[in-house]
Amino acid sequence: MTDKSKDTSTTVGSAGGTAPSTAEQEAVSTTGSGVSSPFDSPTEQLSPLAKGPELTKDVPHTDDELGLDPEVPAVGEQANQAETAPAYAYASIPPAASPPSEPSRPLRRRNGDNRRGTLDLGLFALRLVVGGTFIYHGLMKLTGWFHGPGLDGTRDMMANGGWDHPTMATILVTAGELGGGGLLVLGLATPLAAGAVLAVILDAWAWKQGMLPGFQYKVATGVELESILAGAAAAIILTGPGRLSFDRNRGWATRPAYGSFAVLILAIAAAVGTWIWLHGGNPFLGIRPF
């Protein structure tokens, strides 16, 4: 009787359960305590997980972190993206700016006109000679200085030379020589000043050329001086007055462009129109208009 009860106590638990399995016995022998489950005690809480080096890493969120392939858009979406995306969308590094101490190539070209040498001085000398010559002839016609004819003598000279309106011709030639010559010397409104003296001297060239038949150049009554003055006035229109002038801050002073060429054409047209209106005829035939 006694032996039987001992065997029963070893095989049956106090709660009337069955004997523990082999895995449970190994767990007991290893940990020194029995295996428990939260279902055995509903109020029992699991112990927090121990923080190790693998558990402290950030949880991956994106496709790249998870090692997945990025989503490839469809063919139509790729075409729309290519049309709407800017040209520099794939540039990862912007172009480096030029250092402050090294100006860019266009800037060096634009500032290249700073080294003009004696160009401005040469243009100033040209303006003085051409403008001074016209001032000299204008004073002769206006005041009679330098043994000039004065206004009355100039009007009579125009009438005898075949000009249809001698008074109008006298006013135009005197104003053109004095006004244009003075502005040339100052370098003020240079394109208009040079255009005025060019128109005046072209009409004087045609008048002297028409006094005798044939080409009159290197003779006592030839047009050698008028040709030189006309060429100098045209050169000033095309080159500008330079920086030694009142127009030094104007674009046409140092960098004349198509506007100066237009002024040259207008000056020639004004000379031709004035000649036809006030005189007329072919100056190379040496005759009055028919």
Side-chain angles (χ1 to χ4, degrees):
M1 178 71 66
T2 306
D3 295 337
K4 187 178 180 180
S5 61
K6 288 181 181 180
D7 295 339
T8 304
S9 61
T10 56
T11 58
V12 180
S14 59
T18 59
S21 63
T22 306
E24 293 177 352
Q25 292 177 358
E26 292 178 355
V28 170
S29 62
T30 303
T31 60
S33 61
V35 178
S36 62
S37 170
F39 296 101
D40 296 339
S41 179
T43 60
E44 183 179 357
Q45 297 180 356
L46 296 175
S47 60
L49 297 175
K51 294 183 179 181
E54 297 295 332
L55 298 179
T56 56
K57 293 183 179 179
D58 295 335
V59 179
H61 298 284
T62 63
D63 294 342
D64 294 337
E65 294 177 353
L66 293 173
L68 302 178
D69 294 335
E71 182 179 357
V72 180
V75 177
E77 296 179 357
Q78 292 179 354
N80 295 334
Q81 292 178 1
E83 293 178 358
T84 58
Y88 55 87
Y90 298 99
S92 59
I93 301 177
S98 301
S101 59
E102 296 181 2
S104 60
R105 187 180 301 275
L107 183 60
R108 289 196 297 267
R109 290 179 179 177
R110 186 164 54 249
N111 294 336
D113 59 351
N114 291 330
R115 297 175 293 183
R116 293 170 61 87
T118 59
L119 179 60
D120 297 317
L121 184 60
L123 290 174
F124 177 66
L126 181 63
R127 288 183 3 246
L128 285 182
V129 173
V130 177
T133 302
F134 280 99
I135 292 174
Y136 174 80
H137 286 279
L139 290 176
M140 291 176 65
K141 296 177 177 63
L142 179 64
T143 62
W145 295 355
F146 315 112
H147 308 287
L151 288 176
D152 294 337
T154 302
R155 184 175 58 252
D156 296 339
M157 180 178 61
M158 292 292 185
N160 296 330
W163 295 86
D164 296 334
H165 304 281
T167 302
M168 179 63 67
T170 300
I171 294 174
L172 290 177
V173 68
T174 304
E177 289 179 347
L178 276 179
L183 292 176
L184 270 184
V185 172
L186 297 176
L188 181 62
T190 308
L192 298 179
V197 298
L198 178 60
V200 169
I201 203 61
L202 286 178
D203 282 337
W205 187 96
W207 184 28
K208 293 184 67 175
Q209 172 60 40
M211 290 181 179
L212 295 172
F215 184 56
Q216 307 295 322
Y217 190 79
K218 194 173 179 58
V219 293
T221 59
V223 293
E224 183 177 9
L225 177 60
E226 286 76 11
S227 300
I228 295 174
L229 290 176
I236 293 175
I237 293 175
L238 297 177
T239 60
R243 292 181 177 176
L244 299 179
S245 63
F246 283 94
D247 286 339
R248 58 183 174 272
N249 294 326
R250 302 290 184 179
W252 63 70
T254 56
R255 303 183 65 179
Y258 299 105
S260 298
F261 184 76
V263 171
L264 177 63
I265 300 300
L266 290 176
I268 296 175
V272 173
T274 303
W275 173 261
I276 295 174
W277 173 42
L278 295 178
H279 196 283
N282 189 347
F284 292 98
L285 298 179
I287 60 174
R288 286 298 308 272
F290 33 77

